[in-house]
Amino acid sequence: MTQRKFDPEALEEFMRVVREDLLKTLEDELEPLMQEGGSLNKEPAFGQLEGSNTARQAYSTFHSGTWTNLESIRAAYYGMLKTLQDSIDLHEEGESMNVSETTSYENELS
């Protein structure tokens, strides 16, 4: 008997981890910090000292880059979930076809 190479239950568990641990943390904890009203959305008070304009610029660049990275990660997680679900669906379709072909072959032998 052949060994099972594809485990849809393992993919479903991995999808749960992505959805409930990774994506939930990103959307519920990290993104709110960066959004309007979040603590990381407020520029620190750099004052009027020499270098404060440079510090403001660096913080703005940091915030923009971090936000872009978070959005990219979020899109990657959703893409991963879709691809995993597509894999499960294709596996189920393939298994259904295999059962149908095997049954048909057994009927022809009878």
Side-chain angles (χ1 to χ4, degrees), residues 6-67:
F6 184 82
D7 187 0
E9 290 84 18
L11 282 187
E12 289 171 355
E13 175 61 19
F14 182 63
M15 288 173 62
R16 186 198 62 74
V17 168
V18 170
R19 228 183 349 266
E20 294 177 13
D21 295 340
L22 302 175
L23 196 54
K24 185 171 177 17
T25 298
L26 178 81
E27 291 180 338
D28 294 350
E29 295 176 29
L30 296 175
E31 284 184 343
L33 293 173
M34 302 291 291
Q35 293 172 340
E36 188 70 36
S39 60
L40 294 179
N41 189 35
K42 299 177 186 137
E43 183 180 286
F46 293 110
Q48 300 299 320
L49 298 174
E50 186 178 321
S52 62
N53 285 335
T54 304
R56 263 188 214 89
Q57 179 78 25
Y59 185 81
S60 177
T61 302
F62 155 77
H63 185 274
S64 176
T66 302
W67 182 255

